[in-house]
């Protein structure tokens, strides 16, 4: 019996955060005997596992031979933004139920995509369900060490520079390590209406009047929703001046929110001017995508404590939390 054709020239296309299409070329001889494809998928760190395979060892996915390209979706819990390796065999199912298989193909590497706007909208809807009532606020604030503010004054002419967002939050977030901005908080203590006296990020705080950063010339985007194995949940929002590079980046990747009608952060107008509210039951992390001059606000030392345990720097999202995970990769 002639050997089955070995797949070659493998192509991966239509990659999303939890699916992809795969196709390959193969010799026409014995092609009509192929009944199934065996597909072996591994995270890239395990790519050497294939060299231990014998050609009759069962593999991870047995798929009926369908016209190529074949969509791979839901067979594994693919993680977004993750490097994988894939190899393929052709197979022929025998009368006794066993398979005759070809040699393994070459190993191909690819990386899954970030969450799409559809996935982020699902995440946003979960966040909306727990956001709670809205509280009034008047300033955005940013805590850092004294050295940060001294360096900003000396080397950047008093202007806080955007920096890349870290890898905290959802692994599939399209803003992680890609979007640059200046990071602010806006949550207040419900009994005082003012920023909390404590901070995870440093003993010095700049407070900027809310209207300087959030006004009708700003676009607002939903960025992420996550927790860190605690009862607290965090929502990341992005404020981008209209037409700025940050605005163009977000417009392509993130759900846009109405400034005056959303569950997280609003800017409305009354007879006295702009009025601002934030959600009470989530901790908001706000990224402003342009540089921010310290002269727009005031810098002072906080009177509370520095609570390092509450820092979200590069924090890993709890993949088991039912509140803040959606049904695709984490």
């Amino acid at each position: 019996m002639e050997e089955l054709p070995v797949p070659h020239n493998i192509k991966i296309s239509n990659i999303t955060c939890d699916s992809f299409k795969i196709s390959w070329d193969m010799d026409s001889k014995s092609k009509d005997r192929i009944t199934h494809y065996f597909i072996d998928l591994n995270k890239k760190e395990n790519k050497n596992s294939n060299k231990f395979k014998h050609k009759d060892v069962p593999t991870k996915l047995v798929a009926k031979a369908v016209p190529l390209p074949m969509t791979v979706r839901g067979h594994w819990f693919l993680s977004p933004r993750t490097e994988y390796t894939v190899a393929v065999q052709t197979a022929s199912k025998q009368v006794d139920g066993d398979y005759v298989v070809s040699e393994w193909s070459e190993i191909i590497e690819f990386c899954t995509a970030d969450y799409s706007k559809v996935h982020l909208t699902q995440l946003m809807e979960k966040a909306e369900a727990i956001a709670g009532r809205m509280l009034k606020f008047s300033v955005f604030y940013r805590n850092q060490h004294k050295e940060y503010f001294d360096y900003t004054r000396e080397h950047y002419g008093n202007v806080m520079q955007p920096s890349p967002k870290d890898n905290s939050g959802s692994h599939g977030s399209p803003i992680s390590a890609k979007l640059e901005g200046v990071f602010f908080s806006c949550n207040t203590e419900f009994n005082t209406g003012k920023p909390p006296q404590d901070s995870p990020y440093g003993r010095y705080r700049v407070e900027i009047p809310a209207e300087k950063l959030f006004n009708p010339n700003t676009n607002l985007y939903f960025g992420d929703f996550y927790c860190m194995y605690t009862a607290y949940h965090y929502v990341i929002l992005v404020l981008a001046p209209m037409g700025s590079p940050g605005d163009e980046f977000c417009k392509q990747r993130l759900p846009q929110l109405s400034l005056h009608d959303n569950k997280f952060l609003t800017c409305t107008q009354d007879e006295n001017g702009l009025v601002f509210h934030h959600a009470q039951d989530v901790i908001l992390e706000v990224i402003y995508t342009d540089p921010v001059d310290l002269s727009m606000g005031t810098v002072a030392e906080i009177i509370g404590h520095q609570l390092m345990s509450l820092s979200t720097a590069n924090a890993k999202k709890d993949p088991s939390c039912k509140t803040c995970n959606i049904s695709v990769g984490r």
Side-chain angles (χ1 to χ4, degrees):
M1 188 180 296
E2 288 188 0
E3 290 190 357
L4 292 172
V6 180
H8 61 274
N9 194 24
I10 296 174
K11 296 184 177 67
I12 306 292
S13 61
N14 295 77
I15 300 171
T16 72
C17 68
D18 63 347
S19 69
F20 61 93
K21 287 188 176 183
I22 184 168
S23 63
W24 56 84
D25 297 332
M26 51 190 164
D27 294 336
S28 57
K29 63 178 182 178
S30 302
K31 198 172 179 180
D32 57 342
R33 290 174 46 224
I34 298 171
T35 61
H36 291 77
Y37 304 135
F38 287 8
I39 299 177
D40 183 37
L41 183 75
N42 290 284
K43 286 191 176 178
K44 191 174 176 182
E45 57 263 32
N46 298 325
K47 65 181 178 181
N48 290 331
S49 64
N50 278 320
K51 69 183 181 185
F52 300 112
K53 285 186 178 296
H54 188 268
K55 68 177 184 179
D56 61 357
V57 174
T59 189
K60 292 183 178 177
L61 173 66
V62 179
K64 286 188 175 180
V66 296
L68 300 176
M70 181 177 76
T71 299
V72 178
R73 179 199 304 277
H75 300 294
W76 302 277
F77 289 106
L78 284 167
S79 295
R81 200 187 282 201
T82 302
E83 292 183 321
Y84 287 92
T85 63
V86 65
V88 189
Q89 289 176 310
T90 57
S92 177
K93 192 171 185 178
Q94 306 301 292
V95 177
D96 60 6
D98 285 342
Y99 290 93
V100 174
V101 296
S102 71
E103 297 287 348
W104 283 103
S105 70
E106 76 271 28
I107 299 169
I108 297 296
E109 299 180 358
F110 71 99
C111 185
T112 47
D114 296 331
Y115 284 159
S116 67
K117 279 188 183 181
V118 172
H119 298 112
L120 286 170
T121 299
Q122 293 173 18
L123 205 56
M124 181 178 72
E125 289 168 352
K126 300 202 78 166
E128 288 173 343
I130 69 156
R133 68 191 183 101
M134 304 291 278
L135 299 179
K136 191 176 285 190
F137 77 100
S138 59
V139 297
F140 290 101
Y141 57 94
R142 172 175 172 82
N143 277 73
Q144 278 285 357
H145 301 287
K146 183 176 183 293
E147 292 77 13
Y148 168 83
F149 293 110
D150 291 343
Y151 193 88
T152 297
R153 293 186 186 99
E154 184 178 348
H155 293 275
Y156 292 115
N158 219 41
V159 178
M160 294 184 286
Q161 299 299 310
S163 59
K165 184 199 168 296
D166 64 13
N167 285 310
S168 62
S170 301
H171 188 59
S173 172
I175 62 177
S176 291
K178 293 182 180 178
L179 177 68
E180 294 193 352
V182 184
F183 303 85
F184 289 93
S185 302
C186 64
N187 288 78
T188 56
E189 295 180 322
F190 72 92
N191 55 338
T192 66
K194 296 181 178 179
Q197 296 180 357
D198 303 325
S199 165
Y201 299 110
R203 295 199 54 80
Y204 283 77
R205 174 179 292 166
V206 59
E207 294 188 0
I208 309 280
E211 62 270 16
K212 300 278 191 181
L213 305 181
F214 190 24
N215 54 61
N217 296 316
T218 318
N219 281 329
L220 176 65
Y221 299 90
F222 174 85
D224 200 5
F225 177 44
Y226 71 101
C227 72
M228 307 180 297
Y229 302 89
T230 64
Y232 306 114
H233 276 87
Y234 297 82
V235 169
I236 298 177
L237 302 174
V238 183
L239 286 173
M242 286 183 180
S244 66
D247 189 36
E248 294 305 313
F249 177 96
C250 294
K251 197 171 290 183
Q252 297 172 36
R253 296 168 177 85
L254 306 180
Q256 187 169 349
L257 301 174
S258 163
L259 300 191
H260 56 82
D261 184 20
N262 70 80
K263 299 285 189 182
F264 309 113
L265 189 73
T266 60
C267 169
T268 55
Q269 181 92 36
D270 70 7
E271 63 275 9
N272 298 315
L274 297 177
V275 182
F276 304 92
H277 289 83
H278 71 81
Q280 176 185 9
D281 294 343
V282 291
I283 299 173
L284 296 179
E285 298 180 310
V286 180
I287 301 173
Y288 188 78
T289 62
D290 271 12
V292 178
D293 197 314
L294 288 172
S295 65
M296 294 166 67
T298 56
V299 178
E301 188 172 6
I302 61 172
I303 60 176
H305 301 284
Q306 187 175 336
L307 305 175
M308 296 300 291
S309 63
L310 295 180
S311 170
T312 62
N314 286 308
K316 298 305 177 191
K317 179 174 181 174
D318 178 1
S320 64
C321 178
K322 292 182 171 57
T323 301
C324 62
N325 281 293
I326 54 178
S327 60
V328 294
R330 307 304 184 210

